Amino acid sequence: MISIFNLSVLPLSLRSLPKIPLVFPTFSTLSSISLSSSGMEENPPSLLVLSGKSSSENELALSLRNSSNLKLLDGHPLSILLRSEMHTPSEDDQSTFQIESYMDTLSTERFGRFLIWSPRMPSTHDLVSQNFCELPLYSVCVTDIQFKGRGRSKNAWDSPIGCLMFSFTLQMENGHIVPLLQYVVSLAMTEAINTVCEKIGLPHLDVKIKWPNDLYLNGLKVGGILCTSTYKSKKFNVSAGIGLNVDNEKPTTCLNAMIRKLTSTYQLKREHILAEFFNKFEILFDVFMSQGFQALEDLYYKTWLHSGQKVVIEERNEGQSIENIVVTIQGLTPSGYLLAIGEDNNKYELHPDGNSFDFFKGLVRRKVQ
């Protein structure tokens, strides 16, 4: 197995292979309370509940439970149940993911039909990426609380109830388009949120995409995307994940905080958002794979924050600032970086410098021939 990219989220970094232009996503558990790893108590075993939408997928769940092949990083203890073996939580219990409600809303043919739920686990992304070959393709793992997300300075992260945190698996063959997948994921989530709002009679929430992989609402971050990949047997095994603030207002804001300003009757639910995400993603992903990202660009640009945005690029030489140049963002280049036009009317491709916490404070300008 050859690792193609494996991203730590904070601090931001850019790592690429010479022949594959990659825009790497970052992901942070937005609604997180930082806890020093040295002060963490020993964690109890993580419970995984396996469930499928169809009888054949439930048979896969039974087989996987009996095989005992699922593992967590660092040997964290694990116990596994089938959905049929657990007590069904009350529909009023919003702290627990409602598997039945999710399955009832899901209408996909592939994505999200095999679900792993945990009330509390280290990392959904680590679970699907480390067990990629053991899981059915297109599986999803979701948790109510994630206590070992990826943070700065080796901190552990304990995420409160109300944040939708999930990771899922897929495969791709063309490595040149793998970096564009994060944009399809972002777009599917904004479309899913709008669909859920429509179904319950609410106006659309103005959730926007901040390049390359953040979701914003009213100027505040409410979501982030992480995509990682390994190359094996001529295919890219991709693990994609999202953290979305649904019903937790700290540390920034959440979707339901805005809903509460509009109505006191309805609230968005994590189960419905996750199911609608896969309903949208499966369609968008098929278009992406058959027609390329160009077929989705118009919809993407309607959702992102940056068309016509002016950015100041600081040109440096040997660590010293020599010139500030203003460019205007036009869209994306074929490799997924930002396309901009300078005051000299030349076109430029903007890359993160790999050091700045804010991508837009550390862009590197490269002229497009």
Side-chain angles (χ1 to χ4, degrees):
M1 183 181 295
I2 303 173
S3 179
I4 296 300
F5 59 91
N6 185 9
L7 311 177
S8 59
V9 179
L10 301 173
L12 301 181
S13 61
L14 181 67
R15 307 180 185 123
S16 60
L17 294 180
K19 295 183 179 180
I20 303 180
L22 298 179
V23 179
F24 288 151
T26 60
F27 170 79
S28 60
T29 302
L30 306 169
S31 49
S32 300
I33 304 169
S34 178
L35 299 175
S36 170
S37 57
S38 61
M40 292 286 289
E41 296 180 358
E42 185 176 353
N43 290 298
S46 290
L47 169 66
L48 301 185
V49 177
L50 310 185
S51 177
K53 186 170 175 64
S54 69
S55 57
S56 61
E57 288 148 353
N58 281 319
E59 289 175 4
L60 286 173
L62 176 61
S63 176
L64 187 59
R65 193 277 303 270
N66 292 341
S67 72
S68 301
N69 287 335
L70 291 182
K71 307 294 181 184
L72 293 177
L73 287 177
D74 304 323
H76 186 86
L78 186 64
S79 62
I80 301 176
L81 291 176
L82 303 179
R83 177 174 48 158
S84 59
E85 298 171 335
M86 66 170 287
H87 172 71
T88 301
S90 166
E91 292 185 2
D92 296 329
D93 181 7
Q94 294 305 306
S95 65
T96 300
F97 189 84
Q98 304 282 334
I99 299 177
E100 293 288 348
S101 179
Y102 164 77
M103 290 296 181
D104 288 344
T105 308
L106 188 71
S107 61
T108 61
E109 295 181 359
R110 292 164 292 156
F111 285 95
R113 295 176 62 90
F114 188 91
L115 178 132
I116 303 169
W117 167 75
S118 175
R120 186 174 186 270
M121 69 181 304
S123 166
T124 62
H125 206 84
D126 285 346
L127 184 134
V128 300
S129 60
Q130 293 298 314
N131 296 279
F132 192 100
C133 295
E134 301 295 335
L135 296 172
L137 199 58
Y138 315 119
S139 297
V140 59
C141 177
V142 61
T143 186
D144 296 333
I145 297 177
Q146 182 171 260
F147 64 84
K148 204 172 183 181
R150 306 182 184 190
R152 300 184 75 182
S153 304
K154 299 182 180 180
N155 286 343
W157 293 79
D158 198 345
S159 305
I161 293 295
C163 184
L164 172 61
M165 292 166 290
F166 68 96
S167 300
F168 64 100
T169 65
L170 58 94
Q171 283 185 328
M172 300 173 67
E173 294 183 359
N174 184 352
H176 291 280
I177 66 171
V178 170
L180 300 174
L181 178 69
Q182 61 186 320
Y183 307 143
V184 183
V185 173
S186 301
L187 183 57
M189 181 53 77
T190 61
E191 291 290 295
I193 293 169
N194 287 337
T195 297
V196 175
C197 287
E198 288 177 0
K199 285 187 174 182
I200 60 177
L202 292 173
H204 289 182
L205 294 179
D206 194 25
V207 177
K208 295 292 187 181
I209 299 168
K210 180 183 178 184
W211 183 86
N213 46 38
D214 288 333
L215 300 175
Y216 270 63
L217 177 62
N218 289 350
L220 295 174
K221 185 175 178 178
V222 294
I225 289 88
L226 168 68
C227 295
T228 61
S229 173
T230 57
Y231 186 72
K232 184 179 182 181
S233 301
K234 298 182 179 181
K235 291 185 178 180
F236 292 84
N237 294 336
V238 181
S239 302
I242 294 182
L244 180 69
N245 287 359
V246 177
D247 198 29
N248 49 290
E249 296 191 42
K250 295 182 179 181
T252 57
T253 189
C254 66
L255 303 185
N256 278 340
M258 179 57 64
I259 294 294
R260 283 188 281 270
K261 294 180 180 179
L262 302 173
T263 176
S264 59
T265 305
Y266 298 106
Q267 297 287 283
L268 302 182
K269 296 183 179 180
R270 293 176 298 152
E271 300 83 1
H272 297 161
I273 294 176
L274 180 59
E276 290 296 350
F277 166 80
F278 283 121
N279 294 343
K280 296 295 184 182
F281 179 79
E282 185 166 272
I283 296 171
L284 295 175
F285 181 74
D286 287 344
V287 172
F288 172 55
M289 296 302 293
S290 62
Q291 303 177 43
F293 188 73
Q294 293 82 359
L296 302 175
E297 279 188 340
D298 287 346
L299 183 59
Y300 181 82
Y301 292 148
K302 289 179 182 178
T303 311
W304 82 335
L305 293 170
H306 308 300
S307 295
Q309 178 182 350
K310 294 186 181 298
V311 179
V312 177
I313 307 297
E314 185 180 43
E315 299 284 301
R316 303 180 71 87
N317 185 21
E318 296 182 354
Q320 299 296 318
S321 177
I322 57 175
E323 186 180 10
N324 289 330
I325 300 166
V326 178
V327 298
T328 302
I329 297 174
Q330 302 295 306
L332 296 173
T333 66
S335 56
Y337 292 102
L338 292 175
L339 175 65
I341 295 180
E343 294 176 327
D344 55 5
N345 289 324
N346 286 323
K347 293 183 177 180
Y348 296 94
E349 186 175 71
L350 307 183
H351 297 230
D353 68 358
N355 297 313
S356 300
F357 187 80
D358 186 339
F359 275 104
F360 287 87
K361 292 182 180 179
L363 292 171
V364 176
R365 184 182 64 149
R366 297 179 183 176
K367 189 174 180 180
V368 178
Q369 301 296 328

